Amino acid sequence: TGPQSDYQVARQFLSADFKKEWDPRQSVLIRTGSPTITQIDGLTLDYTFTPKAQVDEFGAYSVTGPVSQTLQFQFVKEKEQWRISQAPPGIVLPESTFLSIFSKHALYFYDLSLRNLVPDERWFAGGTTATRIVTALLVGPPEWLKGAVVSQFPDGTQLTPGTTVTIDSTVAQVDLSSEAAGADERQRQLM
C-alpha cells in the first residue's frame, strides 16, 4: 500500500483533483520525535516536526539541521468526507518507518579513465527499486561528483515512457529511449 503500489491507500484521502497532482516521490523527510498538529482554520492544518535527514527524488540522502519545519495541509469536503486538497509534495516518515521501507544501494559511475567504478550511495523504497536505480543512473552523477566521474549513457537517455525495469531471475529488462542508440560500440559495452 506504500511506494510499491504508488501510495494507493494514501491517495484515498486526497481530493479528486489533488490525487492526480500529488507527487510522493519528490522527497522523503525523515523526522525525529513526535510531530505537532495545529488547526489554523476550518480547512487548514499545520504539521510541525523536526527533520533529521531527507532523501531527494533520485535517492540521495542528506542530513538536515535540527530546525523544526512546518508543512501546511488544506482540506475540502467531498461526498460528505474530508479530503486533503493541498499538501507539499513528498512524504514525511519517522526514522524507524523509513528504515523498514527504504534500503541503501550503490550506483556506480566511471572515473575519468573509464577503468574504475566509483560508488554513490542512494536510498530507494522496496517495490520500485530497479526502476528508480535505472532512472537515477540515467540522470547521471550528482553535482558533487561531476568532474570526477562520468556516465556512458548518451545525454537525454531515459527509460522508454510508460515502462518499468523488470527482473527475471538475474537479468534486468531495461527499455531505453532512442538517445541510447546514439552510443558507439565502446559506450554500449560500458553502459
Side-chain angles (χ1 to χ4, degrees):
T1 61
Q4 59 274 33
S5 61
D6 195 30
Y7 298 87
Q8 196 171 32
V9 171
R11 289 183 192 280
Q12 292 176 10
F13 296 93
L14 304 179
S15 68
D17 290 338
F18 189 57
K19 198 178 290 190
K20 301 167 197 159
E21 183 182 320
W22 181 57
D23 181 5
R25 290 190 171 87
Q26 185 170 329
S27 69
V28 179
L29 293 167
I30 302 147
R31 69 170 173 80
T32 61
S34 297
T36 58
I37 299 172
T38 307
Q39 186 168 351
I40 303 304
D41 59 36
L43 300 175
T44 308
L45 294 177
D46 278 354
Y47 178 88
T48 303
F49 62 100
T50 302
K52 174 182 181 172
Q54 74 175 43
V55 175
D56 72 12
E57 64 186 307
F58 301 112
Y61 182 99
S62 60
V63 176
T64 59
V67 176
S68 69
Q69 185 170 347
T70 299
L71 304 177
Q72 194 165 86
F73 294 80
Q74 295 181 352
F75 296 82
V76 67
K77 208 166 195 179
E78 287 183 351
K79 298 179 184 174
E80 300 305 312
Q81 294 187 348
W82 288 103
R83 297 289 181 239
I84 298 169
S85 61
Q86 197 61 271
I91 59 174
V92 179
L93 297 173
E95 187 174 21
S96 60
T97 303
F98 173 77
L99 293 172
S100 70
I101 296 172
F102 287 76
S103 57
K104 284 190 279 188
H105 299 273
L107 303 186
Y108 290 92
F109 298 98
Y110 286 99
D111 69 0
L112 300 180
S113 72
L114 300 180
R115 289 188 302 210
N116 300 299
L117 291 170
V118 177
D120 181 32
E121 191 173 90
R122 306 289 181 95
W123 288 81
F124 299 105
T128 63
T129 307
T131 300
R132 304 241 8 239
I133 286 173
V134 170
T135 300
L137 276 172
L138 295 173
V139 168
E143 199 60 44
W144 69 275
L145 277 175
K146 287 187 178 169
V149 300
V150 293
S151 170
Q152 288 301 292
F153 291 96
D155 286 344
T157 303
Q158 302 174 37
L159 281 173
T160 302
T163 65
T164 59
V165 175
T166 57
I167 299 176
D168 183 13
S169 185
T170 59
V171 177
Q173 175 71 36
V174 181
D175 294 321
L176 298 175
S177 61
S178 61
E179 289 85 355
D184 62 31
E185 187 60 34
R186 176 73 173 136
Q187 277 182 301
R188 287 183 187 165
Q189 291 172 347
L190 294 171
M191 288 189 323

